[in-house]
Amino acid sequence: RKEVEQDPGPFNVPEGATVAFNCTYSNSASQSFFWYRQDCRKEPKLLMSVYSSGNEDGRFTAQLNRASQYISLLIRDSKLSDSATYLCVVNEGQAGTALIFGKGTTLSVSS
Amino acid sequence: GAGVSQSPSNKVTEKGKDVELRCDPISGHTALYWYRQSLGQGLEFLIYFQGNSAPDKSGLPSDRFSAERTGGSVSTLTIQRTQQEDSAVYLCASSGRVLANTGELFFGEGSRLTVL
């Protein structure tokens, strides 16, 4: 069974904190990986792709560990506006079913 | 509009009634997806359209669910004889290419269905 597992949280952190989320996937043949962000009662939006070499976009860093089959998202200097649910997404191929969404990790940043 | 448009945004219906949910994808996008998201759950794949190819219907939970895409653009998801467990947010997404490594789907705001 294809699975993408995330700690649902919530992660409650103060502004300025550094927080990290992990996500594990079961299919070793998975091809590509992404983090989406979903605000409360809103649609998901792509946050960033996750590359094998790791990638950084401002305060956000994503990493992939294929050997252990997990990806991570690190948020530095958390802002109130970072409060959202972060969805781990794994692409297993070209079929319509290929994008597997995790249930998400909820982050709440407080002042 | 520039984004994916869905209607209605909210729909309350009685058990046993049929409902139609509409999705208008981003102009020029060839791929269109329907997902369902129940409270506290992840996105559940329902159906995928790609250009003129036969749709991937493997995610439809029962034969009460059907979808079509006319003219390669607008799509309608139909749920017949609705049940209470059909209550969820139905999300439509489009993409400008065959599912590739970009992984970027553009979602609409969803249609929130409540079956009483």
Side-chain angles (χ1 to χ4, degrees):
Chain A
R1 178 179 175 178
K2 304 172 185 177
E3 289 187 354
V4 174
E5 300 287 343
Q6 296 183 251
D7 181 344
F11 284 63
N12 298 304
V13 303
E15 278 186 289
T18 296
V19 62
F21 312 134
N22 282 340
C23 164
T24 59
Y25 60 94
S26 60
N27 186 348
S28 59
S30 296
Q31 299 180 4
S32 49
F33 310 87
F34 312 91
W35 285 101
Y36 274 68
R37 170 189 170 133
Q38 186 172 24
D39 293 310
C40 187
R41 299 179 75 87
K42 294 288 190 179
E43 73 276 20
K45 294 183 180 179
L46 180 66
L47 176 66
M48 59 195 303
S49 302
V50 186
Y51 303 126
S52 296
S53 56
N55 50 300
E56 186 174 309
D57 183 1
R59 298 181 293 108
F60 297 82
T61 300
Q63 293 193 314
L64 167 64
N65 185 319
R66 282 192 181 273
S68 300
Q69 296 183 202
Y70 78 83
I71 67 174
S72 64
L73 177 67
L74 181 76
I75 305 175
R76 291 181 299 279
D77 188 23
S78 298
K79 311 292 184 189
L80 293 176
S81 57
D82 293 335
S83 298
T85 296
Y86 291 84
L87 305 176
C88 172
V89 184
V90 173
N91 181 8
E92 299 187 341
Q94 297 295 319
T97 53
L99 271 184
I100 310 297
F101 285 78
K103 294 183 179 180
T105 297
T106 298
L107 172 65
S108 178
V109 181
S110 56
S111 58
Chain B
V4 177
S5 177
Q6 291 189 245
S7 62
S9 55
N10 279 285
K11 176 71 175 178
V12 179
T13 190
E14 294 179 348
K15 177 181 173 181
K17 300 287 189 182
D18 297 352
V19 297
E20 283 191 354
L21 308 176
R22 175 189 168 104
C23 173
D24 201 341
I26 293 172
S27 178
H29 278 191
T30 57
L32 186 149
Y33 303 76
W34 283 99
Y35 289 89
R36 177 167 72 175
Q37 188 173 33
S38 303
L39 188 63
Q41 300 298 311
L43 271 69
E44 176 188 4
F45 167 79
L46 297 177
I47 188 168
Y48 163 62
F49 296 90
Q50 174 56 49
N52 295 320
S53 301
D56 178 350
K57 303 180 181 180
S58 59
L60 295 179
S62 78
D63 58 7
R64 296 187 295 105
F65 288 72
S66 62
E68 62 178 20
R69 188 179 185 190
T70 54
S73 181
V74 172
S75 176
T76 302
L77 176 69
T78 301
I79 309 173
Q80 296 179 309
R81 305 181 303 281
T82 52
Q83 304 295 312
Q84 288 183 331
E85 60 263 29
D86 298 335
S87 296
V89 177
Y90 289 82
L91 289 161
C92 175
S94 69
S95 176
R97 62 193 70 188
V98 175
L99 188 60
N101 286 341
T102 66
E104 184 162 21
L105 300 185
F106 295 86
F107 284 87
E109 294 189 350
S111 292
R112 183 174 298 275
L113 174 66
T114 303
V115 182
L116 302 178

